[in-house]
Amino acid sequence: MDFGRFGQAPAGSRIGYENGKIEVPADPVVPFLRGDGVGPDIWKATQRVLDAAVAKSFGGKRRIAWFEIYAGGVAKEKFDEWLPAESVDAIKHFRVAIKGPLTTPIGGGIRSLNVALRQILDLYACVRPVRWFQNVPSPVKRPQDVDIVIFRENTEDVYAGIEWPAGSPEAARVAALIAELGKDVRAGSAIGIKPVSEFGSKRLVRKAIQFAIDQKRPSLTLVHKGNIMKFTEGAFRDWGYEVAREEFGDRTITEEEISKGAAAGGRLVVKDRIADSMFQQSLLRPAEYSVLATTNLNGDYLSDALAAQVGGLGMAPGSNESDEFAVFEATHGTAPKYADLDKINPGSLILSGAMMLHHLGWHEAAVAVESAMAKTLAQKIMTYDLARQTEGAREVGTSAFGEALVANL
Ligand code: NAP
């Protein structure tokens, strides 16, 4: 198939989509965006590790046909566009993609390429698994207790971007309407609106519950600020419990039912926590939490706070997903000062690649990557960011870290 200025996709098959599930051939075409800044360095190491893991796990019977597509600074340079239509077409066609960090355009047009991709493809769930690997420096005493996957709603709440500046005629009109509805807004205020829908909340929680059940996780926690915002945050919690009860009734049980004496009996325990309490719990008793489903802003803060406990930016993988499409990504930025120095930690993109392999159902290869990461760090082979905080570490560059993983597969 021809993708305009990007040319032909490589030989391989398209991932299918049937009855709400992807169908993965033995040779899927997967579009990738190298990204800007440190992107090319971390992509090179990542591709090397993923290909080696797939080859080793499936003895050459499966392979990924990588298809390079472009966005960000490199696309601006090559095609004079930040987000060429061919890139969106390719992701829509092939359904799963992986990306390095992209330079955010300053001024004009697109607010952020990541936001644009999320909106165009309706990638409604931002998924962030957070776990610790031995020897990774951590500011907490027991980082090994953190093994939490966050499902953060990606399209509503503050990310809907509905706001008007203080003193603008729009803000004045909205304030007048609010006054008509019997509520007060201080004169001259900026106004932002936070929509939270039943549809948006339920599909996010549904995805999180399905994941928790598939992965045999013990609990799912609905995180919200419903004590203050009853009709948005509180409704998110209520709709979440409704999905659990109505769609997964035989496979879930609530914490409340357990507190009244019911036995979990292998079912997923569904509970909820107010956001501020959840932050405290994530530091004091992280072992009691496994999968979190959150509204947008709470999830934004929690994802980074939890990632900080297990090694920070260089080690935090993530994805943005709908039912049909998924884009796996390095969660850090382009770190331009380290571009082309073969220095930066490729851990975030490599672990995102492992998430992608799980998503394809190629669990053996995914687990191989995760185990190789654990083994390499256990040997104290590390890039500068971790090595500078670890006694006795052997500091290596990006590509050597990738090679160490390949050797440990
Ligand atoms: P950044 O690129 O994430 O880098 C900030 C600092 O974080 C780096 O200087 C480095 O700290 C550390 N760091 C980041 N990635 C690392 C890695 N893989 N390994 C080790 N350390 C790492 O943030 P920024 O400088 O604010 O943003 C630069 C550009 O990236 C901007 O254009 C921004 O808009 C864009 N951005 C893109 C994305 C995305 O595409 N997903 C996300 C965020 C930002 P030290 O110098 O202390 O070692």
Side-chain angles (χ1 to χ4, degrees):
M1 181 152 174
D2 188 66
F3 285 86
R5 291 168 291 179
F6 300 173
Q8 293 284 329
S13 309
R14 181 186 184 194
I15 291 173
Y17 182 68
E18 211 51 68
N19 300 324
K21 288 207 158 67
I22 59 165
E23 292 181 348
V24 182
D27 60 346
V29 176
V30 174
F32 71 95
L33 295 137
R34 249 175 243 278
D36 300 319
V38 295
D41 275 353
I42 60 172
W43 171 252
K44 202 166 149 201
T46 300
Q47 185 178 355
R48 171 96 178 91
V49 171
L50 299 184
D51 282 342
V54 169
K56 183 145 194 207
S57 302
F58 304 116
K61 292 200 175 68
R62 295 183 192 174
R63 70 174 182 97
I64 294 174
W66 299 109
F67 178 29
E68 179 151 25
I69 61 174
Y70 304 89
V74 61
K76 180 77 181 146
E77 236 169 67
K78 256 176 148 29
F79 308 109
D80 197 28
E81 275 181 59
W82 287 100
L83 184 56
E86 289 93 332
S87 289
V88 177
D89 292 345
I91 300 174
K92 275 191 176 153
H93 185 75
F94 293 113
R95 300 197 166 96
V96 171
I98 183 164
K99 61 178 271 297
L102 302 174
T103 305
T104 307
I106 297 173
I110 298 175
R111 185 163 55 136
S112 140
L113 291 164
N114 298 308
V115 173
L117 276 176
R118 276 175 218 172
Q119 286 176 345
I120 295 168
L121 300 168
D122 194 25
L123 304 172
Y124 65 83
C126 176
V127 186
R128 294 280 186 91
V130 187
R131 61 166 283 199
W132 181 71
F133 289 95
Q134 190 198 344
N135 285 336
V136 172
S138 166
V140 297
K141 282 191 191 144
R142 294 189 52 82
Q144 62 269 41
D145 287 352
V146 178
D147 181 6
I148 293 176
V149 183
I150 303 162
F151 280 72
R152 165 189 169 209
E153 207 291 323
N154 230 355
T155 64
E156 302 192 334
D157 190 0
V158 297
Y159 253 48
I162 308 174
E163 56 168 4
W164 296 278
S168 66
E170 292 86 356
R173 279 177 68 186
V174 176
L177 177 64
I178 291 172
E180 233 178 77
L181 296 172
K183 309 259 180 188
D184 255 353
V185 174
R186 181 170 292 128
S189 295
I191 295 183
I193 290 186
K194 168 188 172 73
V196 174
S197 73
E198 178 173 357
F199 172 80
S201 303
K202 282 189 166 175
R203 69 176 176 173
L204 184 274
V205 175
R206 185 178 298 120
K207 202 175 196 42
I209 293 180
Q210 190 63 57
F211 170 88
I213 290 173
D214 290 347
Q215 301 280 321
K216 300 188 174 45
R217 292 266 177 168
S219 73
L220 175 130
T221 307
L222 301 160
V223 183
H224 60 91
K225 189 70 185 163
N227 54 330
I228 301 298
M229 286 169 283
K230 297 187 173 24
F231 306 124
T232 50
E233 298 275 336
F236 176 83
R237 172 201 57 214
D238 296 345
W239 287 321
Y241 277 122
E242 218 172 285
V243 171
R245 192 173 57 242
E246 290 176 1
E247 300 177 27
F248 300 92
D250 53 338
R251 286 167 289 168
T252 59
I253 184 166
T254 62
E255 186 179 50
E256 197 186 346
E257 287 170 303
I258 290 177
S259 73
K260 287 180 184 154
R267 284 174 287 181
L268 175 73
V269 178
V270 180
K271 51 192 174 182
D272 75 278
R273 294 289 180 273
I274 291 171
D276 35 313
S277 153
M278 187 63 235
F279 272 91
Q280 195 173 79
Q281 295 278 301
S282 72
L283 282 168
L284 299 177
R285 290 148 73 166
E288 292 175 21
Y289 298 89
S290 181
V291 178
L292 308 182
T294 80
T295 49
N296 186 272
L297 186 60
N298 294 331
D300 193 12
Y301 300 151
L302 264 173
S303 302
D304 279 17
L306 276 163
Q309 291 194 41
V310 299
L313 281 176
M315 295 297 294
S319 68
N320 292 292
E321 304 182 21
S322 67
D323 298 332
E324 184 171 356
F325 308 114
V327 179
F328 297 83
E329 64 176 5
T331 56
H332 54 79
T334 59
K337 68 179 172 186
Y338 297 113
D340 303 320
L341 296 182
D342 191 31
K343 185 171 167 79
I344 205 91
N345 186 350
S348 170
L349 195 60
I350 290 173
L351 292 172
S352 297
M355 279 178 84
M356 186 186 86
L357 294 172
H358 277 302
H359 181 78
L360 299 179
W362 295 8
H363 301 292
E364 301 90 324
V367 171
V369 173
E370 290 159 355
S371 306
M373 179 69 76
K375 201 167 161 194
T376 306
L377 294 167
Q379 294 163 342
K380 294 197 176 177
I381 299 174
M382 296 169 164
T383 44
Y384 82 95
D385 53 314
L386 304 181
R388 69 186 166 189
Q389 305 173 67
T390 307
E391 214 172 294
R394 193 176 119 214
E395 184 180 326
V396 294
T398 313
S399 52
F401 186 73
E403 288 310 321
L405 259 74
V406 171
N408 279 328
L409 277 169

